[in-house]
Amino acid sequence: MKKYWLAAAGVVAAVAVAAPSAVGAPTETSTASTAAAASPGSPDSTASPAAGTAVRAEPAKVTPAKAAAPAAKPVRTVRPGQRVDAGGGFTVWLTRDGKHWAGPDGYENFRSVVDGNIDRSEPGVSHQSEGDATGVFHSGLYYGTCKAGRVELSDDEGHKTVATLIALPGRPDWGVWYAHTGPADGNGGSGLGVTLYDRAGRPLAELPGFDFPAGRG
């Protein structure tokens, strides 16, 4: 019998930080000596290299490139109530009042965006997860911004998973993200941190990973 876990977390205040500097292309510079032939018979004339002699160049100077951030996936616009195949037997859909999702066993869940449990006056993100030995399905809300560009999950070793984002027409100040990861330990995947970024790659809100008792809440 499969075991499921569900983790839900509150909002962590939005974090405004400077955007990472752009990565420049590696540059190479080199110099080469050239010799001009002096006029024959001139007292100031100097010997020039013999024809065909190779000119030695200095070693090229290369500036190492920084690792690029994971590519963001475009936010997908869906109709209210439109069922989205999220993979692994999971289905997600949005209505005006919040996020709905169902697992392979048909069990349905709901998270409201209008019942006062989230503060949409500032950027935030939530996280729910459930799975078994074959993998974990993660999903949640992002809210408090109309400029969401990317949601990432990350573990303690720095491995990152970029989520898929969906939103209703008109891009309101909230939407839903979802992603899949491999089999998790006893906390059902809630140990992964979640970060919301804007379209320019600046972090807006972060939800650290935490241990959560196994079971469906």
Side-chain angles (χ1 to χ4, degrees):
M1 180 174 64
K2 293 185 178 180
K3 294 183 179 180
Y4 293 84
W5 301 270
L6 175 65
V11 181
V12 174
V15 180
V17 298
S21 58
V23 177
T27 59
E28 294 185 1
T29 58
S30 61
T31 59
S33 300
T34 57
S39 301
S42 170
D44 296 327
S45 63
T46 57
S48 60
T53 301
V55 178
R56 182 177 180 180
E58 296 181 2
K61 298 177 182 179
V62 179
T63 302
K66 297 180 181 179
K73 301 177 182 179
V75 180
R76 177 183 174 185
T77 300
V78 297
R79 300 184 308 275
Q82 178 181 343
R83 301 292 177 115
V84 176
D85 182 358
F90 288 88
T91 303
V92 179
W93 65 101
L94 284 64
T95 58
R96 300 295 180 184
D97 54 355
K99 164 202 171 192
H100 305 255
W101 76 103
D105 59 1
Y107 185 88
E108 294 188 6
N109 288 279
F110 171 69
R111 286 293 180 271
S112 176
V113 296
V114 297
D115 63 0
N117 284 330
I118 62 173
D119 180 7
R120 289 163 62 182
S121 67
E122 59 184 16
V125 63
S126 69
H127 182 195
Q128 294 86 45
S129 63
E130 54 187 291
D132 54 25
T134 64
V136 181
F137 175 69
H138 305 265
S139 63
L141 296 168
Y142 65 87
Y143 49 88
T145 177
C146 296
K147 299 180 180 180
R150 186 171 86 250
V151 169
E152 277 182 8
L153 292 89
S154 58
D155 61 19
D156 293 337
E157 298 180 352
H159 301 130
K160 297 183 182 299
T161 300
V162 179
T164 298
L165 275 57
I166 58 177
L168 293 174
R171 296 288 174 85
D173 63 347
W174 70 275
V176 168
W177 64 268
Y178 64 86
H180 290 267
T181 62
D185 52 22
N187 63 16
S190 59
L192 298 178
V194 183
T195 305
L196 169 66
Y197 296 86
D198 67 11
R199 296 170 193 166
R202 293 183 293 262
L204 297 176
E206 182 177 8
L207 183 64
F210 64 95
D211 292 329
F212 193 84
R216 177 182 284 150

